[in-house]
Amino acid sequence: MSEFDLINQYFKTPVTLRNDVLLGPGDDCALLSPPPGKVLAVSTDTLISGVHFPQSTQPEDIGYKVLAVNLSDLAAMGAEPAWVSLSISLPEADSGWVERFMQGFNELATGYNVALIGGDTTRGALSITVNITGFVTERTALRRNTALAGDLIFMTGTLGDAGVGLNAVLNNNTHDKHLAHCINRLNRPQPRIQAGLLLTQLDRVTSIDISDGLLADLGHICEASKTGAIIKLDKIPLSDELIRYYQGPEAGLNCDPLDSKLDFKPDSIPGSIADWQAITCSGDDYELCFSCTEQSAAKMLSLFKARSLPVTQIGRMTSSGTIECLDKNAVPHPLKIKGFNHFSNEK
Ligand code: ADP
Ligand code: MG
């Protein structure tokens, strides 16, 4: 199969029809018609095999995830998704692989009404780059640099699942049913588009998506906003599956979910500094971390509740310039702020 056969078979036929795509894949450029009164929110993310996903990841999951992580950037900005381009570098023109990859990609593209408007197909080590465009108004876009000391800090969903999922995959524990939830969080993150759009209805929300770890990403907000933060570790929302994992005698692997319900103590588990270090510094959860005033928080909570969107207050912005993590007795836990950094020397 040639480059052009692949393009014709898998990339040219639109799965999502949008009136604002005047010309899709096939010509030298796509022609797009942005809506009046909006500005474009544009972002790019690359996934490299063995770096951003384990080499054993199924093509459907890679296709899903590459779009999900890009949608997550739009969510963090409060933008409505519209168009994507897809650049794919493949070791060989494996049509079976591309078909499965596009199944995952198209599942999400259809779900969020995103149109594939073009791309590039080349031979090389497996690597995929998606460029995404969404719409937002300039006034309501959720930036990183607008937080003030005293603002409340929230996050959507739960933290740490994808990190446990990654460990499970790297240690070949993929068949353990208790870890299935965490592995699914790793492979199929849910971009928080709806949450991001709701936050644009509020005054001065500062937001980021958690891709590199809570402390690292909140650190980016603090740096951009020139604030610090206090995080209450016992308030961080954890899934039942993650708690089971940390409760289990051998990292949760032999733990029966029904048994562990009996002594479920969310405020005491996990307990060790190493557990908290892992939970607050593992990436790939793609939840939103955001801050807002107490007034906005009340409105936000009712908007989220009405749509059953999970959200939890985990701390407060300060003027200290650093992030402090406190346990339930308000004792500081000296956690290191380390997130994923491609050019870091630290392994
Ligand atoms: P050019 O030589 O003008 O760069 P290409 O031969 O690379 O064009 O691509 C031909 C057409 O197919 C272009 O419209 C391009 O946007 C589209 N295309 C190529 N690869 C992909 C892809 N992976 N996904 C979507 N569209 C693609
Ligand atoms: Mg090209």
Side-chain angles (χ1 to χ4, degrees):
M1 220 181 208
S2 76
E3 170 193 338
F4 297 106
D5 294 335
L6 279 181
I7 294 173
N8 284 329
Q9 190 158 347
Y10 297 109
F11 304 129
K12 264 200 190 161
T13 318
V15 294
T16 311
L17 292 173
R18 294 183 58 106
N19 293 335
D20 52 15
V21 180
L22 309 180
L23 187 63
D27 211 317
D28 294 309
C29 292
L31 296 175
L32 307 166
S33 171
K38 296 277 180 166
V39 297
L40 303 182
V42 183
S43 174
T44 300
D45 259 315
T46 296
L47 298 194
I48 298 171
S49 178
V51 179
H52 300 96
F53 54 87
Q55 270 152 0
S56 60
T57 310
Q58 299 300 306
E60 293 87 346
D61 290 336
I62 301 171
Y64 185 100
K65 186 163 179 172
V66 73
L67 185 51
V69 304
N70 277 273
L71 284 165
S72 177
D73 282 321
L74 290 188
M77 215 68 197
E80 176 200 339
W83 310 315
V84 273
S85 71
L86 170 66
S87 297
I88 183 159
S89 161
L90 287 168
E92 55 198 311
D94 178 345
S95 68
W97 192 95
V98 175
E99 181 165 348
R100 292 176 58 195
F101 170 89
M102 286 309 285
Q103 249 172 40
F105 186 93
N106 286 333
E107 188 183 322
L108 207 50
T110 321
Y112 285 94
N113 194 31
V114 175
L116 178 62
I117 49 95
D120 205 14
T121 306
T122 53
R123 178 185 290 224
L126 180 58
S127 158
I128 303 123
T129 299
V130 164
N131 178 274
I132 195 159
T133 301
F135 309 141
V136 70
T137 60
E138 188 182 0
R139 192 181 59 81
T140 62
L142 310 174
R143 300 166 196 243
R144 292 183 184 184
N145 62 353
T146 49
L148 294 174
D151 289 352
L152 308 184
I153 303 172
F154 294 87
M155 67 167 285
T156 59
T158 60
L159 194 68
D161 298 302
V164 166
L166 179 62
N167 277 337
V169 172
L170 295 178
N171 293 317
N172 269 321
N173 281 330
T174 50
H175 299 296
D176 190 291
K177 67 177 187 241
H178 302 148
L179 291 171
H181 164 85
C182 293
I183 294 170
N184 194 52
R185 287 286 313 264
L186 173 74
N187 288 332
R188 301 231 160 190
Q190 295 298 314
R192 293 291 185 182
I193 294 289
Q194 194 191 15
L197 290 173
L198 287 175
L199 293 176
T200 64
Q201 296 181 26
L202 309 170
D203 287 336
R204 196 174 55 75
V205 174
T206 309
S207 151
I208 195 164
D209 64 325
I210 305 175
S211 54
D212 294 331
L214 171 68
L215 296 186
D217 289 316
L218 177 61
H220 295 318
I221 286 188
C222 291
E223 202 182 325
S225 297
K226 302 192 170 58
T227 57
I230 285 180
I231 293 296
K232 295 194 172 154
L233 295 174
D234 60 307
K235 301 286 186 239
I236 290 179
L238 305 175
S239 68
D240 289 358
E241 289 83 354
L242 190 92
I243 290 170
R244 238 174 261 147
Y245 170 84
Y246 282 106
Q247 268 181 330
E250 287 172 26
L253 298 181
N254 300 326
C255 197
D256 188 277
L258 293 173
D259 290 350
S260 63
K261 280 275 183 221
L262 297 173
D263 53 352
F264 180 80
K265 294 190 203 80
D267 61 345
S268 61
I269 301 161
S272 78
I273 291 194
D275 291 349
W276 283 117
Q277 186 73 61
I279 291 168
T280 54
C281 292
S282 64
D284 269 343
D285 286 313
Y286 296 99
E287 296 294 348
L288 294 187
C289 174
F290 61 93
S291 70
C292 63
T293 61
E294 280 186 34
Q295 262 178 334
S296 291
K299 185 172 172 196
M300 179 276 295
L301 287 172
S302 77
L303 287 172
F304 276 50
K305 199 169 171 203
R307 289 155 186 87
S308 303
L309 278 172
V311 65
T312 312
Q313 191 194 337
I314 57 170
R316 206 181 253 278
M317 289 294 176
T318 65
S319 56
S320 72
T322 58
I323 300 178
E324 275 181 282
C325 296
L326 306 181
D327 71 11
K328 67 175 192 296
N329 301 317
V331 176
H333 269 247
L335 299 182
K336 278 193 231 158
I337 301 180
K338 46 181 183 186
F340 189 76
N341 177 343
H342 286 271
F343 296 104
S344 152
N345 294 323
E346 205 184 310
K347 286 279 171 199

